[in-house]
Amino acid sequence: MRTLFIAANWKMNPPPDGAFAARSPYRPRTDLDIVIFPTFLDMKTSVAGGLRTGGQCGYPEQTGAHTGDISMAMLKNIGCTHVLCGHSERRSQHGESNEDVAAQVKAASDAGLLPVACVGETLEQRQDGQEETIVRAQVRALPLDRDLIIAYEPVWAISGGDPKKQAITADDAQKMHAFIRSLLPRSATTRIIYGGSMKPPNARDLLEQPDIDGGLVGGASLNPQAFGEIVKIAAAIGKRH
Ligand code: PGA
């Protein structure tokens, strides 16, 4: 049984208005896993406000000379339950390699966090027909013996705040998710979620695909109404048998 997982990746943005209010769509539910990824500065408020909270990144070492970094254990101690590893913006803006991402996933799971490892090809790689080769290498580099969630995010579909950006088609997403599942030793139970311009008009088509177990929502997660609609759509679809 795979419970659908809907995540709000707020990136470097303040929490949306009312995010911590009693009836906010960001609150945990029993039928779905809802997890919020705020900035480090908003994490304490998010945890204290009762939201399931994750780090947008974490450093694999425990302590030491790593200016500007936060360890996985520190995220756990503050009350986080999850952490993103190797988001494409971390890979492209901070030079994180497949090996770095693997080390993050290991450290996260050692610290008792559930890692959400992000993979996905660039536009150029897809145009060259290299998407499966790239994603295979990214997935195979991960410590797949650990409990983890995989987020497939085609880099070219990530909105970057542009609401006009289009997601991949549901058929193409399903194809890649099935491919990723074929690489996993625990293929029946590992959740593979989709990220990249998921929003209310395309969420149903994407989430109904048999190998898409949720969404990593960026831009639309900053709008409580849009995020709430995605949550409702996921709840109507229910768990994956
Ligand atoms: P997006 O972001 O929904 O704005 O495309 C997704 C992500 O980068 O995690």
Side-chain angles (χ1 to χ4, degrees), residues 129-219:
Q130 290 299 305
E131 65 272 19
E132 289 193 351
T133 309
I134 295 294
V135 170
R136 184 193 292 114
Q138 292 172 335
V139 171
R140 289 223 169 122
L142 297 170
L144 296 173
D145 55 328
R146 310 287 180 121
D147 270 342
L148 82 176
I149 293 174
I150 294 185
Y152 169 59
E153 300 202 297
V155 177
W156 49 273
I158 292 178
S159 77
D162 175 0
K164 289 198 214 77
K165 196 81 173 245
Q166 292 301 314
I168 191 171
T169 66
D171 282 352
D172 283 347
Q174 165 56 26
K175 192 164 162 246
M176 182 59 93
H177 280 237
F179 173 69
I180 294 171
R181 198 171 300 288
S182 75
L183 303 172
L184 302 178
R186 303 190 208 174
S187 58
T189 50
T190 305
R191 286 175 291 183
I192 307 170
I193 64 174
Y194 170 78
S197 298
M198 183 181 276
K199 38 201 169 190
N202 62 25
R204 187 180 313 280
D205 267 3
L206 288 163
L207 293 172
E208 274 179 352
Q209 301 302 316
D211 288 301
I212 300 185
D213 304 317
L216 179 52
V217 187

Side-chain angles (χ1 to χ4, degrees), residues 27-74:
R27 303 207 76 80
R29 301 171 56 113
T30 51
D31 55 345
L32 298 175
D33 284 336
I34 310 263
V35 179
I36 309 308
F37 293 90
T39 68
F40 290 132
L41 295 180
D42 295 311
M43 222 163 237
K44 268 193 174 168
T45 318
S46 178
V47 171
L51 305 191
R52 276 176 99 190
T53 305
Q56 295 178 9
C57 63
Y59 199 75
E61 303 291 330
Q62 298 260 356
T63 52
H66 304 292
T67 302
D69 281 312
I70 303 271
S71 77
M72 300 295 178
M74 289 167 179

